[in-house]
Structures are given as C-alpha cells and as structure tokens.
Amino acid sequence: LGYVQNFSFGVSYQFPASTVLDVSYIGNKGTRLVSYGLDNLNQLPFGDLRLGDTLLAPLASHPELSALTPYAGFDGTVGQALRAFPQYQNIGQYNPNFGMSTYNSLQITATRHFTKGLAILAAYTWSKLLTDVTDPLDSVPGQDVGNRRLEKSVGDLNVPQTFKLTWIYELPVGAGKVYDPGGIAGQIIGGWKVSAIQSYRSGDALALTTDLPSSAFTNLGINVRPDVVSSANQVLYNGQGLDFVNGTPYLNRTAFVDIPTTPGGVPLRAGTAPRYLNIRGPAQYGEDFGLVKTFPFTEKRNVEFRADFANLFNRHGLSDPDTDVSSPTFGRIFG
C-alpha cells in the first residue's frame, strides 16, 4: 500500500501591538501512490520504434521477421507481435502503485489581533510539488512505462506562490475616537469599519497536448508528448495588448513542436516536454472590500448596514492558453 510521510518545523515570534509571526517549513513525501496511466504492462517497448511503419504492417507480409511470430496462428501486426503479451491489447492493473510525490513549502503567517481598531491576517506560501501522478481517479497515460522517470514534473494542483491578506480597520471617527464631531454628525459618520480580503496567486500549471494521428499510437499502446525547444523564449505575454478575437499571444509557438513521426504516424521517440511545464498560465488576483456600520437603538438591539464590493478594482482573470501544439491557435488566450 502507498503511504505519505509528513515533515514540519516552525518558529513563532510575538511582536508588540499584539502581532505574531509564524514561519514554517511544511513538506511531505508520497510513496507507492496509485498511478493509473503508468500501468500498461503491454506497451510496445520504445526501443522497437526504430522499425517505423513496419510496426503497423501485418507480420505475415514480412517473412524476414517470421522469427517474431509469438504463437501458431498469430495474424496481427509486427507491433502487436513485439508486445510482451501479443495475444492482448493494453493491460492495466487493479492497484498500480508506481506513483511518487514530494512537496516542500515555506509558509509565513502574520497575525495582528484586533488592537487600536486594526486586525490583520496575512499568509504567504512558497512551495513546489513534484510528482508523476495527476490524480488517482484519472488515467493520464505516461509516455514510456519502461522509463517512468519521464513522468516526473511539477504537479498540476500546485500553486507555487500564494499570498492572502485579510484585514479589518475601524475608522478613527466617532465617540471616543481621534476625531469626534459629536451630535448627529458624529452618529452618522462615526463607527464605520472597512474590511478586505485580498488574494494573489501564481497561474495554473500547463500541460502540452498534440493531435498527431492517433491510430498508430492506439495500435502500439503508447502515448507521446510534444518537444520543448529549450533555447527559445517560452512566454511572450507582457501584460498588454489583449485580443480575444484572434487570441492574445501567450506561449511562443517556436518553443514547442510536435515530435518527428514516420509517414504512417509512428513516433520515432518520446517527446521532451514534461507532463506539466515549469512555466505557468496567467497569475490570478482579487480584492473584495466591505463597509460596515452598526446603529444601536436600544441596549440589546441594533441595526447593521453593510456594503460588499466583490472584485472592487474590476480585475479580469485571463484563462489559460491553448496548449495543443497541433492547433493553429496554439499558445493564444481567448477568454
């Protein structure tokens, strides 16, 4: 069975003005995680891709390869004959525990309890998740099940940087405050509180896909990813020039290409792209504000007025770009 080990270490320090700072390292390591998609025991060995389109031809049409005949009466393709269990297609496992994960994070929290009209809670996380598993319920196929190290990449659920700030501020106006106009005016403009929830985070992890002819992949039981051209600048977007008609350029098309294939669509090797790229989609921001005032009209009763402003600055969050390398709109954002 799989298991997860957890590690943590933290330091807390109390400052004046009722403020506490917590700095922690939090990590975990997953071992033998369920990893559907890495369990195809009958995948064609990648070394046999050297045969190219011959893999798709009937074995009977290549007498020179008759030594590959796995059993009497076999009438499949050359590629099927080269599988470990040629009498079957793909073979999965009930509990494929090949997966792994490592998570490391620095987490900083600052808390100011409500003092002199101000309360603050700020939290920042800097983290990295490396894994070869997307989700135990998803069958995300790996490229070469004989070399599962190719599947190790950043996790799709990991957000490397997250900052959240929540605060409440009681305006210094009204009875007993720094400024007290007194009378009716003091009752109207005094006693207001302003609150906010602000959040800022890195973008989503991006996974490249391809629409290369899939018949060869299906017949061979393999899956491949595109190539990454490491010398090219991968992100073009600079925060300006939004175009949702033709698409806003985000990824550099010249930095990612399909892998080479034979005329019949047989891939010649595995792609160099990881499961999820080390670059991210557009970052996400948000600020919600609130304005509150309480009007007491008896000793035990009051009326509260509250106005909430969701996304006060009207920030528009960009969607992730098209990541299909075979698409004419690859790398562009349309929403």
Side-chain angles (χ1 to χ4, degrees):
L1 296 176
Y3 61 93
V4 176
Q5 298 165 282
N6 299 288
F7 316 94
S8 63
F9 173 81
V11 176
S12 297
Y13 187 83
Q14 182 170 347
F15 291 91
S18 301
T19 302
V20 177
L21 178 68
D22 294 297
V23 180
S24 301
Y25 161 78
I26 297 177
N28 63 56
K29 178 181 182 295
T31 304
R32 294 201 294 269
L33 304 180
V34 175
S35 52
Y36 293 109
L38 300 182
D39 59 334
N40 185 5
L41 301 180
N42 210 27
Q43 184 187 71
L44 178 81
F46 259 61
D48 291 330
L49 292 177
R50 67 185 185 279
L51 296 177
D53 289 340
T54 302
L55 294 169
L56 306 179
L59 180 61
S61 66
H62 287 273
E64 73 280 8
L65 300 178
S66 59
L68 298 178
T69 304
Y71 53 83
F74 176 81
D75 62 354
T77 64
V78 173
Q80 186 65 28
L82 289 169
R83 293 199 188 202
F85 305 96
Q87 65 271 42
Y88 300 107
Q89 295 298 312
N90 296 337
I91 300 176
Q93 294 189 47
Y94 173 70
N95 187 28
N97 56 348
F98 306 119
M100 57 72 61
S101 69
T102 58
Y103 173 80
N104 295 280
S105 69
L106 171 68
Q107 301 188 17
I108 303 174
T109 303
T111 306
R112 175 191 167 101
H113 299 289
F114 199 80
T115 305
K116 296 182 180 180
L118 177 64
I120 298 175
L121 174 61
Y124 171 73
T125 299
W126 177 39
S127 64
K128 188 169 188 178
L129 168 66
L130 294 174
T131 180
D132 55 13
V133 179
T134 298
D135 187 303
L137 300 180
D138 292 337
S139 299
V140 179
Q143 291 198 104
D144 184 358
V145 297
N147 183 12
R148 297 188 180 98
R149 291 175 298 178
L150 296 177
E151 306 310 308
K152 183 178 180 181
S153 74
V154 295
D156 61 321
L157 300 179
N158 180 223
V159 178
Q161 296 198 67
T162 301
F163 176 70
K164 292 186 177 182
L165 175 65
T166 302
W167 52 269
I168 301 173
Y169 180 56
E170 188 175 48
L171 299 179
V173 180
K177 300 297 192 302
V178 175
Y179 176 68
D180 182 8
I184 299 298
Q187 295 180 14
I188 295 176
I189 67 175
W192 288 91
K193 292 181 181 179
V194 181
S195 63
I197 300 176
Q198 301 173 239
S199 60
Y200 311 91
R201 50 156 286 187
S202 304
D204 300 325
L206 301 178
L208 297 183
T209 60
T210 178
D211 282 339
L212 286 174
S214 60
S215 59
F217 303 162
T218 302
N219 292 334
L220 302 174
I222 64 173
N223 177 73
V224 292
R225 293 189 290 267
D227 278 346
V228 174
V229 182
S230 59
S231 60
N233 185 20
Q234 297 181 358
V235 177
L236 298 175
Y237 182 67
N238 60 3
Q240 300 177 352
L242 297 178
D243 180 1
F244 296 135
V245 177
N246 302 306
T248 302
Y250 188 84
L251 296 178
N252 185 356
R253 171 172 286 278
T254 62
F256 311 96
V257 296
D258 274 323
I259 61 169
T261 61
T262 65
V266 175
L268 299 180
R269 56 172 174 78
T272 60
R275 284 188 319 115
Y276 287 90
L277 300 173
N278 288 319
I279 59 176
R280 296 270 165 174
Q284 300 179 19
Y285 314 95
E287 296 93 0
D288 300 332
F289 288 85
L291 191 62
V292 181
K293 178 176 173 58
T294 301
F295 297 89
F297 62 89
T298 69
E299 185 176 345
K300 296 183 178 180
R301 294 177 176 83
N302 60 71
V303 174
E304 180 180 273
F305 170 83
R306 180 177 183 90
D308 291 312
F309 306 90
N311 193 18
L312 179 65
F313 301 132
N314 195 30
R315 294 185 184 271
H316 49 270
L318 296 180
S319 61
D320 292 331
D322 181 357
T323 55
D324 182 355
V325 174
S326 303
S327 170
T329 61
F330 170 76
R332 293 179 175 269
I333 294 175
F334 286 88

